[in-house]
Amino acid sequence: MEIANNKTQCFKCNKKKITFTCEGCSEKFCLLDLTEHQQILNEELHHIINNYDQFKQKFNEQKPNPYDLSLIDQINQWETNSIEKIQKKAKDCREIVIKSLQTFLNDIEMKFNDLNEQIKQMQKENEFNEINLNYLKNQLLKMNQELNNPSNMSIEQDSQSFINEISIISLEKPKFNKWEQNAITVAGGNGQGQKLNQLNYPNGIFIDKNKNIFIADHANHRIVEWKRNAKEGQIIAGGNKEGNRMDQLYFPSDVIVDEQDHSIIIADSDNRRVIQWLNQKQHILIDNIHCFGLAMDKHGYLYVSDSVKNEVRRWKIGEYDNEGIIVAGGNRNGNQLSQLNSPGFIFVDYDQSVYISDQNNHRVMKWRKDAKEGKIVAGGNGKGGNLNQLSLPHRVIVDHLGQIYVADWGNHRITRWCEGKEEGEIVIGGNGFENQSNQLNYPMGLSCDDEGNLYVADWRNHRIEKLEIIL
């Protein structure tokens, strides 16, 4: 408190007195009113302390008992109800099996008793020949076969769940990322060519944890790596003209990096093979496949789209000698929810759901793990440039909020979609198809780094563009 030099008007009693200034509210009080003012502040502090103690007690009561929370109670109730449904279904099925088995055994027993009487009768009368004996043998053989194969039933599992699915939905409005609209060229951009500072129709791209960029340099038949802030790239696969030798590539369409062993996995599209490059050694993982897009999930499973068979298959790591498992499509080309039409790039999320750029259907499909059909999550309203349409979509990626980003190739733009929404929004592009920093010319590849910056393979501009996130 600061003592005033002259008598001034007290804020409380409005009398001219020697006053003191409260540094909190900056008002002047006489000594009497200042004491009262201080008492009011003390009471307010005690009130805050009391509220704090109440909150602390409430927090301590909940802390050791998290299962008392209402959301946990709801999950527990869902678990109980689901278990009860499963138990009831299992009980009903067991009763059917037991009843059927009992009926079967009763039937066998009757046949056995009847046959036993016939044998006794033959022995008693001592009248039988080869025909009678063959008959007995055949009857015994039939009963043995029936006994060894008692069930004419099997288990059929319906892929449609009879238990309601639950998921946790945040009520907090997500903060949607925004990016600078003037992109920065981080690779290529020096015209079409095969020099180390040039690209030739770049397709798929992959950004590693060090922000190095791996590019399927499509028409140069090579994979190039551009180190962060580098002026030129370095060839890490191919680059020996087009061909089918082990050291050659033929129009590679996509590339990913297995950061477990630092190997490069390439969709060697026109050679119809998926090839692995590790320490300058090449190994064919999958052969005779019209591969286009690649993805790898958190368990190390490799996913490959086949643009001719209109399907996506999955392989377990190290088990590439088999045919893999179809996880999407595989029902000829078409526009039904169970079909694909020239699937291109793919993305796999943490739940092993597969997102597919269904190019000729101008849509992005999401296939949940083990699903029999997919769901349209972007486009699907015919080819066009409206916000509810796509035009030959290429790379698709999904962020941690489930937002879907699409390289909308024919519309020269990147769009963002939220699952369940009818329309997307433009992230960048849609301003014509020249080579300005806010324009794209048939965007093909799309990726992001761990900071949320977006990278676009600007196909016909022969460059990789970086959109810096606005924090």
Side-chain angles (χ1 to χ4, degrees):
M1 301 292 181
E2 181 184 340
I3 301 176
N5 293 326
N6 299 312
K7 291 184 177 181
T8 55
Q9 186 174 346
C10 174
F11 174 74
K12 185 70 181 292
C13 66
N14 295 322
K15 294 178 181 179
K16 289 266 187 176
K17 293 184 177 181
I18 295 175
T19 59
F20 304 84
T21 302
C22 174
E23 293 180 359
C25 63
S26 301
E27 300 293 351
K28 299 179 184 298
F29 296 90
C30 66
L31 184 58
L32 183 63
D33 288 329
L34 180 63
T35 304
E36 183 180 349
H37 180 64
Q38 189 64 45
Q39 181 62 33
I40 292 172
L41 293 178
N42 284 333
E43 290 175 359
E44 189 171 344
L45 175 61
H46 287 307
H47 181 68
I48 292 172
I49 291 173
N50 185 52
N51 287 341
Y52 166 81
D53 290 337
Q54 290 180 6
F55 174 82
K56 184 178 180 181
Q57 182 180 355
K58 183 178 179 181
F59 177 76
N60 288 335
E61 287 174 355
Q62 287 196 3
K63 188 175 180 181
N65 296 298
Y67 294 103
D68 292 338
L69 297 175
S70 59
L71 287 178
I72 298 296
D73 288 341
Q74 292 179 46
I75 295 172
N76 291 341
Q77 187 60 52
W78 171 85
E79 179 183 28
T80 300
N81 293 342
S82 299
I83 290 172
E84 287 176 355
K85 282 187 177 181
I86 292 171
Q87 289 176 333
K88 184 178 185 305
K89 189 70 176 179
K91 180 183 177 184
D92 292 344
C93 290
R94 276 194 295 267
E95 288 178 353
I96 291 171
V97 171
I98 291 171
K99 186 175 180 180
S100 174
L101 186 59
Q102 190 60 54
T103 301
F104 166 79
L105 291 175
N106 289 341
D107 184 54
I108 289 289
E109 187 177 17
M110 288 178 62
K111 290 179 181 178
F112 175 77
N113 290 336
D114 182 59
L115 190 63
N116 187 41
E117 288 298 322
Q118 293 182 53
I119 293 172
K120 288 180 178 179
Q121 186 68 26
M122 288 181 187
Q123 286 180 320
K124 181 179 180 181
E125 296 177 357
N126 200 23
E127 289 186 4
F128 52 87
N129 54 32
E130 288 83 358
I131 296 175
N132 302 125
L133 295 178
N134 284 332
Y135 169 78
L136 294 177
K137 287 178 184 178
N138 288 332
Q139 289 299 106
L140 278 171
L141 182 62
K142 285 181 181 179
M143 284 192 288
N144 263 306
Q145 290 174 342
E146 288 183 33
L147 197 60
N148 291 330
N149 300 281
S151 179
N152 59 356
M153 295 181 293
S154 64
I155 300 295
E156 182 180 70
Q157 297 191 36
D158 191 350
S159 62
Q160 303 297 321
S161 175
F162 70 98
I163 299 171
N164 295 328
E165 282 194 28
I166 64 168
S167 58
I168 303 300
I169 301 172
S170 175
L171 299 179
E172 181 181 354
K173 190 175 181 180
K175 295 180 180 178
F176 295 122
N177 293 335
K178 293 184 178 180
W179 294 267
E180 298 285 355
Q181 290 301 291
N182 292 314
I184 303 168
T185 300
V186 291
N190 298 300
Q192 180 183 7
Q194 57 184 357
K195 295 178 181 177
L196 291 179
N197 69 342
Q198 294 179 308
L199 297 170
N200 194 354
Y201 295 106
N203 266 40
I205 57 177
F206 182 93
I207 314 298
D208 71 8
K209 60 185 178 182
N210 296 317
K211 297 183 177 60
N212 300 319
I213 309 169
F214 296 80
I215 307 164
D217 195 5
H218 188 65
N220 279 329
H221 314 288
R222 67 189 185 186
I223 305 298
V224 291
E225 177 186 4
W226 285 63
K227 299 288 187 182
R228 186 177 183 182
N229 300 324
K231 298 300 181 184
E232 61 181 32
Q234 62 185 71
I235 300 171
I236 59 172
N240 300 303
K241 298 184 178 180
E242 72 272 20
N244 61 4
R245 296 198 316 259
M246 289 299 292
D247 65 339
Q248 292 178 311
L249 299 172
Y250 197 6
F251 290 113
S253 57
D254 202 6
V255 57
I256 59 175
V257 178
D258 184 349
E259 299 198 49
Q260 295 294 321
D261 59 10
H262 306 290
S263 66
I264 313 299
I265 300 175
I266 305 160
D268 191 9
S269 181
D270 280 30
N271 278 326
R272 296 174 57 203
R273 65 188 184 186
V274 177
I275 192 167
Q276 181 185 52
W277 285 57
L278 177 61
N279 299 325
Q280 293 303 310
K281 294 181 179 179
Q282 305 86 34
H283 175 65
I284 296 175
L285 298 181
I286 306 164
D287 206 358
N288 194 29
I289 181 172
H290 297 275
C291 52
F292 192 101
L294 302 173
M296 185 171 284
D297 67 20
K298 63 180 181 180
H299 303 291
Y301 287 95
L302 179 65
Y303 298 72
V304 185
S305 64
D306 189 317
S307 57
V308 173
K309 290 185 178 179
N310 300 292
E311 65 187 22
V312 177
R313 287 181 181 262
R314 182 184 71 204
W315 278 265
K316 188 175 182 180
I317 187 168
E319 297 183 5
Y320 301 113
D321 53 346
N322 57 42
E323 294 184 351
I325 299 172
I326 296 177
V327 295
N331 300 300
R332 295 182 295 182
N333 71 309
N335 61 4
Q336 301 299 311
L337 293 180
S338 63
Q339 296 177 308
L340 299 170
N341 193 348
S342 189
F345 290 107
I346 52 181
F347 180 91
V348 182
D349 67 13
Y350 281 99
D351 296 325
Q352 293 182 297
S353 294
V354 184
Y355 296 78
I356 308 139
S357 58
D358 193 9
Q359 295 178 105
N360 288 346
N361 282 326
H362 312 290
R363 66 189 185 184
V364 173
M365 300 294 290
K366 176 183 179 180
W367 285 62
R368 292 186 178 276
K369 184 181 179 183
D370 301 326
K372 300 300 182 184
E373 61 182 31
K375 175 184 179 182
I376 300 172
V377 291
N381 297 298
K383 181 180 182 180
N386 295 325
L387 289 178
N388 68 340
Q389 293 178 306
L390 296 170
S391 177
L392 294 168
H394 279 70
R395 173 67 79 185
V396 53
I397 60 175
V398 183
D399 68 14
H400 68 285
L401 295 174
Q403 298 173 109
I404 304 151
Y405 298 80
V406 185
D408 193 1
W409 193 77
N411 286 320
H412 315 287
R413 67 191 184 186
I414 306 299
T415 55
R416 173 170 59 191
W417 300 68
C418 293
E419 187 175 339
K421 299 292 185 181
E422 294 296 325
E423 294 184 346
E425 61 176 330
I426 297 174
V427 173
I428 189 174
N431 306 308
F433 46 99
E434 301 301 328
N435 61 0
Q436 299 302 309
S437 60
N438 67 341
Q439 293 178 312
L440 299 171
N441 196 343
Y442 294 102
M444 177 76 74
L446 185 63
S447 189
C448 68
D449 61 28
D450 55 7
E451 293 179 358
N453 302 307
L454 285 176
Y455 298 75
V456 184
D458 195 6
W459 194 66
R460 194 168 280 181
N461 280 327
H462 314 289
R463 66 187 182 182
I464 307 300
E465 297 288 86
K466 178 183 178 183
L467 306 176
E468 294 191 329
I469 192 168
I470 300 172
L471 300 176

